[in-house]
Amino acid sequence: DGDNNFEDTPHRVLITTRIPGLVGPGITHEVFVRIFSEHEAVKLLLTAAGRRPNGLPKVSPVFAQARIIVKGCGNSPLALRIAGGMLRSRNRNWTLSSPAWKLLVEQCRTSLEEASRIRSFANSVQRLIDLSFATGITDFDFRSCLRQCFVAFAMVFHDTDSLKVGKGISRVVVIRLFAVVSSMVDGSGSGKNRLPSRGGMSPEELMDYMDNAALILDTLETMNLVQRAGHGLSQSSAMSRLNDASGNAEANTNHSNHKCYSMHESIKAIAEDMAKRKTEAFAPLYDEFNSFISNADVVPESTGPPFPFDECMVMMLIGEVADMAESFQNTIYERWNIEEYIAENMPLHLIRAKMVEKASKVLLDQDFCTRRVVALGPIEATRRHVSDLIDLRRAHSHHKELSSGELLDLNIVDAIQEGSACIIDEVIHQSQDSPKSVNVAICLSTMGEGLIKARQPRDASQRLDEAASLYRELLGQGHIDVARAVNAVAKSLVKINETRAALIRFGEASSTYEDCNASHHFDSIANLQGMANLFVTSGDFQAATALYENVISRKQNVHGEYSVATAKTINDYAVILAKNGRMDDALARYEKARATYEQALDGLPPSMSWLNHGESAAKCGFDMALINLNIASIKSKKGDVAGAIHSYEIGVQGLRKYKEELELAGDEAGKNKNSSHMRHLVSALGRIGSLKLKQGDKNGALEAYASLFKEVDSSESPVASRLEKAKAHIKCATIYRQSGERDDNKHAIIHLREALNMYTDLYGAKHKDTVAVATSLQQWMEEEHHHSTRS
């Protein structure tokens, strides 16, 4: 409720995090969990290795050597479980003299030395995983296959919904994938990265591969590299109906077939990094901290094609090999798991395997839509279909030409229209009650919102209008779902520039929210802000101002006076005022937005994500930098040159800090010269130089321009930034030219020559600006030559 009193509800949510105060004060009970003690860490290691550590004295030889392993793992529970799994998978009766134990101790000593150098245990888990594959497996083929299957699990299933929600991937599906991977390893143990031909595998060979795949999966589980999923044993209602229809004839199927598997996020990230290796079977490279591999044992780099991860999965879901596999996995439960996986993920794998046309045919196939709705239910089937259609459009734009050079024979607009109609028709057809049901309404609204993302707003508007009418008929006018549906219609109308109709729908949605007593609901506030933005577009600034005042008031009530959500809205309002020419009011609002941001972020670490508004502190710092640049722009227009320079300099500091944080986080945008923060940074430095020149501070202007030159790359930066740099060179040339000193004249010519080169690259030699710069340069060079001759 409004007082944040949750004592009356029986429900609780458990969140694990390294960030204190994540959800904010007063609504959570925080429990600080300390790191393992040395004794607890040793007990976890030995338990994972299959031993009973109870009563183990601290002076025992096992404890003494286990302490080295614990320190080399950085006390990380995940690393300790992997280390224990490695020991258990090699020999359950290991001793201190076992090779696996000795190698593990030696590697942990090496990892400890590396950690002392780089001040981090970031690489220790990676090295333990490589050690797990390297020790105890003498069969080179099996070791290569085991490593490839481990990487394939992460790469094929990493973005499937089943893995994301913790349901896991069914054992029968994983075995099919691993069977194909097994078939790709030749007798020398090196992966050829080529799929077996359709007719190049006999049923007997496939059976052997599937038996090997089951062994590989069990081995990875023993090594703690994959784990049983917590929700894998629950059967869907559709599966129950299948059992009822079969009279439970196969109720006594092997329980192991009901297992589902997942992978820890950190292990999955390591596997994805391993997939980038160029070596055969993703083998590790030699370095001084890999104690288990010598320079002579390094596997050579692979010269073949990239590993076909998704093609492997496609091969085992459809086609001749898949049909053969189905004959070996013949229980109802196994077949249903495969059917459910195909219905959920087949288009995803086809798209990722760059089989765009085939994916399109599947999404437009009525039979597949029927299977999808039966397997997943109407709502989930629609959601998956929408996601696949959006991915199809994205893939179509990236792969317009096949590898053969032929154009894709696919009209993407027609494909999305037919695909959306196909799933909607199937949902209506399978609706148990009547075509007018809530499920159908949800299906229509989900598809409509998806069509907006797929850039088909007219079709989206039609579907959303149908959904709104159906919601209204089923739930009555005064229901919050009706308001949401009408708001979605309004947003689709905005996309097709139907401004008047969109304003009417926004107003209708607002009235419905009021009738539902939900005027302070997040969706209601967003609806008002959408209407305010539309008033800006239509030029009615008076109505937009009134609405923004209302939105700010509501956000302050919901999020708090000093929250990022409030700050962002105040900033949006300032932009409106500035566009309307009300500079004094805009300046006051910008300063209010900046102060609100500062209060909201006070004391938070840059990496923290603030759940109430979904923005990171670093991103908010970028927003504050832009606010300072806008303040500087207004002050410049009002003639406050000193104030403008000060605000520009604060904005530049904020942009540079944001750039550093992106680079520290490994985000490529930090180095991308075309990123928005880089464009703003270049523009701001140019304005500082111009304003300092206006003040008569020529040295200050030259410093600002020198900073600008460092930020612009002649090849990677956008045209606007390169043009800014060219103009800065001309201004530097002018400053040096006006000094009259001989050495300064030489600097002036150098800068003007740089400007000429850049203008030539940007506009060509015959452009009027290029010609003007060339003429000035020629004149200056002649004068310099004349002075040199005289002297």
Side-chain angles (χ1 to χ4, degrees), residues 386-641:
V386 167
S387 178
D388 289 336
L389 289 171
I390 293 171
D391 288 342
L392 182 70
R393 182 183 185 94
R394 191 177 296 118
H396 179 264
S397 64
H398 290 163
H399 309 292
K400 287 188 176 180
E401 289 193 5
L402 300 172
S403 57
S404 61
E406 299 175 8
L407 291 175
L408 279 172
D409 185 19
L410 175 64
N411 186 320
I412 191 62
V413 175
D414 290 346
I416 292 175
Q417 289 175 345
E418 292 176 26
S420 61
C422 186
I423 198 71
I424 291 171
D425 291 344
E426 191 56 42
V427 169
I428 294 173
H429 176 71
Q430 294 192 30
S431 181
Q432 296 178 350
D433 301 326
S434 73
K436 294 184 178 181
S437 66
V438 174
N439 278 348
V440 175
I442 294 173
C443 169
L444 289 168
S445 60
T446 303
M447 184 56 68
E449 291 172 3
L451 287 170
I452 291 178
K453 294 178 182 178
R455 301 178 185 177
Q456 300 204 20
R458 291 194 179 277
D459 293 323
S461 179
Q462 178 184 346
R463 297 300 184 190
L464 290 167
D465 202 29
E466 292 173 5
S469 300
L470 196 51
Y471 274 124
R472 197 179 291 111
E473 182 178 342
L474 294 168
L475 306 176
Q477 178 64 37
H479 196 280
I480 194 167
D481 284 333
V482 175
R484 290 191 181 112
V486 174
N487 171 260
V489 174
K491 289 190 288 188
S492 68
L493 290 169
V494 170
K495 295 286 186 180
I496 57 176
N497 297 321
E498 295 285 351
T499 304
R500 185 178 295 276
L503 282 172
I504 293 172
R505 292 303 183 124
F506 275 128
E508 183 183 340
S510 181
S511 300
T512 305
Y513 280 121
E514 296 285 346
D515 294 342
C516 300
N517 197 26
S519 58
H520 283 71
H521 192 280
F522 299 117
D523 293 336
S524 174
I525 298 172
N527 180 76
L528 278 181
Q529 191 161 353
M531 194 188 305
N533 291 335
L534 201 55
F535 275 126
V536 173
T537 304
S538 62
D540 191 345
F541 292 101
Q542 185 174 357
T545 300
L547 275 176
Y548 263 111
E549 294 284 4
N550 192 350
V551 170
I552 291 169
S553 175
R554 294 190 187 189
K555 287 205 173 182
Q556 286 175 336
N557 289 333
V558 174
H559 298 276
E561 182 178 0
Y562 297 109
S563 66
V564 172
T566 302
K568 289 172 73 69
T569 306
I570 296 172
N571 181 47
D572 291 341
Y573 182 31
V575 173
I576 299 298
L577 293 170
K579 286 183 177 179
N580 200 27
R582 295 165 58 181
M583 293 301 174
D584 291 335
D585 292 336
L587 183 59
R589 287 292 177 176
Y590 276 130
E591 290 173 342
K592 174 67 175 174
R594 182 176 61 186
T596 306
Y597 265 122
E598 290 171 350
Q599 289 281 342
L601 300 176
D602 185 32
L604 298 182
S607 60
M608 177 170 177
S609 292
W610 192 244
L611 287 184
N612 287 340
H613 51 72
E615 295 277 1
S616 69
K619 177 63 171 66
C620 293
F622 173 64
D623 292 340
M624 290 174 63
L626 295 187
I627 289 174
N628 280 309
L629 297 184
N630 287 329
I631 290 173
S633 177
I634 292 176
K635 286 183 176 180
S636 176
K637 291 175 182 177
K638 291 171 63 67
D640 183 4
V641 176

Side-chain angles (χ1 to χ4, degrees), residues 702 709 725-737 741-759 773-774 776-782 784:
L702 289 173
F709 297 150
K725 182 177 180 179
K727 291 178 178 178
H729 274 299
I730 292 176
K731 290 177 181 178
C732 288
T734 304
I735 293 171
Y736 283 119
R737 177 76 172 174
E741 297 292 332
R742 182 71 179 277
D743 289 339
D744 287 346
N745 282 336
K746 293 179 179 178
H747 286 301
I749 291 174
I750 291 171
H751 279 288
L752 201 61
R753 184 178 288 113
E754 286 291 332
L756 176 61
N757 292 335
M758 295 192 71
Y759 270 104
V773 174
S776 298
L777 178 61
Q778 180 66 29
Q779 180 182 345
W780 290 8
M781 290 176 66
E782 289 175 356
E784 176 65 20

Side-chain angles (χ1 to χ4, degrees), residues 46 53 366 730 762:
L46 297 178
Q366 191 66 51
I730 292 176
L762 289 169

